Amino acid sequence: MKKNYALQLPHQHVYYLKTHKTGSTTMYHIFSEYARSHGLVPLLPRSRHINQGEGFHEHQLLMVNKIKKFDMVFSHHTYTPSIFKYLHNDTFKVTSLREPFNNFVSAFLYYRNEFSVAYLKRVPTDDPVLEFLRHPDKYEVKGHGSWTNNRQSIDMGYEVSKGFNNTKYIKEFIKESERRFHLVIIMEYFDESLVILKRTLRWKTEDILYILKNQGSYYKKHGSPKNTWLEEEKRKLHSKFSKPDLMLYNYFLNHFKDKMEQEVGLKEEVDEFRDILTRVRRHCSNRSEIENMNNMIISPGKWNNGFQITPTKCKALAFDFFKVTDFLKQNQRAMFIK
């Protein structure tokens, strides 16, 4: 029987820990568009990100005098409990994880090629990933200055002073992470994650629509070494220094698989969602014609009550990260800051 989601009040207080290279920019767009379209007030950074290191100070936030508690947060920052004093007590807490080797490769190439990060640029270019993995002590930097050394764990609040081979602390950290978050999204099951998020928050299908953002591909640039001895060597080398990320990911992956099995009709709803995504992306793909588009009608299905895609919605789905961030800041300044 189809549920009438319109009769259920949605949960709109959400904390999203935006981790690096885990599909988090796409998640950022989903949450920011929800905030925009529902008139919510997110906690925003004064600059591009809240923080990239340990802790943060209030001067890094775009504070609003009239607002004591914010509805959402979804900007980049490393986990710190002090952020919750700006959020409501019933805030739903969620973050994202990605298979650690793929996360490492994505981060390595992204920060090396797009931002020319010094310690990554120093690696010779024939196969920089392999060279780095063979000699991590030669190239890697310490702590929060690294984008490649167990960065998912660091983003989630791992104490780097404990070292990365402390099995006892890693297990304690994983258990603490489980207490901190209500849901951990798994990038390899992205659409399933979104549908579960939608069900949990009592949102609608139109609230989780997305166009992939900030997507890169190691294999497009360097061939496809999957299932070869070279790929296996890289994975084995990577596993030697990524114990926290591997243990963290495997724990939450198994937990998420159990959760998927408990969700009745999940596959059918994901199939319906993907069909809608395909149609919406096709409709919104011609950006030069967006202003003259008619509304697109999505008919009711088993898992949605039907909705329209307006030109405004198409524009919002197509915005890049910086345009979204700037829009939210300008809107918040215009509403609250005199």
Side-chain angles (χ1 to χ4, degrees), residues 89-100:
N89 291 336
D90 67 344
T91 295
F92 183 85
K93 304 174 185 71
V94 57
T95 191
S96 309
L97 290 176
R98 181 181 184 180
E99 191 282 316

Side-chain angles (χ1 to χ4, degrees), residues 57-74:
H57 301 284
E58 191 168 284
H59 68 76
Q60 294 171 280
L61 304 172
L62 183 65
M63 300 306 298
V64 179
N65 291 332
K66 296 180 181 179
I67 303 295
K68 301 302 180 185
K69 298 288 184 180
F70 292 81
D71 298 312
M72 306 179 88
V73 62
F74 38 73

Side-chain angles (χ1 to χ4, degrees), residues 1-179:
M1 181 181 295
K2 182 178 74 174
K3 296 180 180 179
N4 190 343
Y5 291 102
L7 298 179
Q8 301 182 62
L9 291 176
H11 193 95
Q12 297 185 325
H13 298 151
V14 179
Y15 166 86
Y16 175 64
L17 179 66
K18 189 178 187 299
T19 50
H20 288 84
K21 310 309 294 176
T22 62
S24 62
T25 299
T26 300
M27 289 302 302
Y28 176 96
H29 279 76
I30 291 170
F31 287 123
S32 63
E33 171 55 13
Y34 188 91
R36 181 200 69 82
S37 60
H38 290 78
L40 303 179
V41 183
L43 178 64
L44 299 170
R46 188 172 293 277
S47 184
R48 291 299 182 192
H49 307 300
I50 291 175
N51 73 332
Q52 301 280 43
E54 291 183 278
F56 69 91
H57 301 284
E58 191 168 284
H59 68 76
Q60 294 171 280
L61 304 172
L62 183 65
M63 300 306 298
V64 179
N65 291 332
K66 296 180 181 179
I67 303 295
K68 301 302 180 185
K69 298 288 184 180
F70 292 81
D71 298 312
M72 306 179 88
V73 62
F74 38 73
S75 297
H76 259 316
H77 65 285
T78 52
Y79 181 88
T80 175
S82 57
I83 199 169
F84 294 107
K85 71 179 181 180
Y86 305 105
L87 304 175
H88 296 273
N89 291 336
D90 67 344
T91 295
F92 183 85
K93 304 174 185 71
V94 57
T95 191
S96 309
L97 290 176
R98 181 181 184 180
E99 191 282 316
F101 176 72
N102 290 329
N103 176 266
F104 162 81
V105 172
S106 177
F108 183 100
L109 292 168
Y110 180 70
Y111 288 104
R112 185 175 192 269
N113 298 337
E114 300 298 324
F115 288 94
S116 297
V117 171
Y119 82 95
L120 298 174
K121 291 297 287 185
R122 289 194 296 109
V123 185
T125 58
D126 287 347
D127 191 335
V129 172
L130 181 59
E131 168 64 17
F132 184 94
L133 289 171
R134 283 176 172 169
H135 308 285
D137 292 341
K138 181 178 178 180
Y139 301 107
E140 188 61 89
V141 295
K142 295 181 180 180
H144 292 78
S146 172
W147 307 108
T148 48
N149 193 0
N150 292 286
R151 187 68 203 203
Q152 293 183 91
S153 296
I154 289 175
D155 283 343
M156 288 178 66
Y158 191 94
E159 293 183 34
V160 296
S161 62
K162 301 287 188 180
F164 295 124
N165 288 302
N166 186 336
T167 302
K168 182 176 182 292
Y169 172 69
I170 295 171
K171 289 180 179 179
E172 292 172 355
F173 167 71
I174 291 171
K175 284 297 182 183
E176 182 61 30
S177 296
E178 188 174 29
R179 288 189 288 269

Side-chain angles (χ1 to χ4, degrees), residues 171-234:
K171 289 180 179 179
E172 292 172 355
F173 167 71
I174 291 171
K175 284 297 182 183
E176 182 61 30
S177 296
E178 188 174 29
R179 288 189 288 269
R180 288 172 176 171
F181 294 95
H182 298 105
L183 177 66
V184 175
I185 286 172
I186 301 297
M187 184 178 176
E188 287 73 24
Y189 294 95
F190 194 70
D191 290 339
E192 290 85 353
S193 295
L194 287 179
V195 169
I196 289 174
L197 179 72
K198 169 207 163 189
R199 290 179 173 191
T200 305
L201 297 180
R202 301 183 297 277
W203 287 10
K204 300 176 183 178
T205 299
E206 55 264 45
D207 296 326
I208 58 170
L209 297 174
Y210 69 92
I211 295 174
L212 287 172
K213 305 293 182 181
N214 210 18
Q215 187 182 32
S217 174
Y218 169 65
Y219 298 114
K220 285 181 181 178
K221 294 180 181 179
H222 297 272
S224 181
K226 282 190 173 182
N227 301 319
T228 68
W229 66 268
L230 188 58
E231 173 77 358
E232 288 304 312
E233 180 185 359
K234 290 176 181 178

Side-chain angles (χ1 to χ4, degrees), residues 258-322:
D258 289 341
K259 189 170 185 64
M260 286 195 296
E261 289 183 4
Q262 297 166 16
E263 292 284 332
V264 177
L266 180 63
K267 182 182 184 304
E268 291 79 6
E269 183 169 2
V270 169
D271 288 343
E272 181 180 285
F273 175 54
R274 286 174 175 162
D275 177 66
I276 292 171
L277 275 180
T278 299
R279 292 159 58 196
V280 169
R281 289 168 181 169
R282 187 182 302 123
H283 175 74
C284 295
S285 61
N286 192 344
R287 298 183 187 183
S288 63
E289 297 296 326
I290 284 179
E291 295 290 351
N292 300 318
M293 284 180 177
N294 294 321
N295 290 352
M296 179 185 185
I297 306 299
I298 301 295
S299 300
K302 183 177 181 180
W303 303 99
N304 80 91
N305 293 324
F307 55 94
Q308 296 186 32
I309 298 296
T310 64
T312 298
K313 187 71 170 180
C314 276
K315 273 196 212 176
L317 289 172
F319 274 168
D320 65 24
F321 169 79
F322 296 115

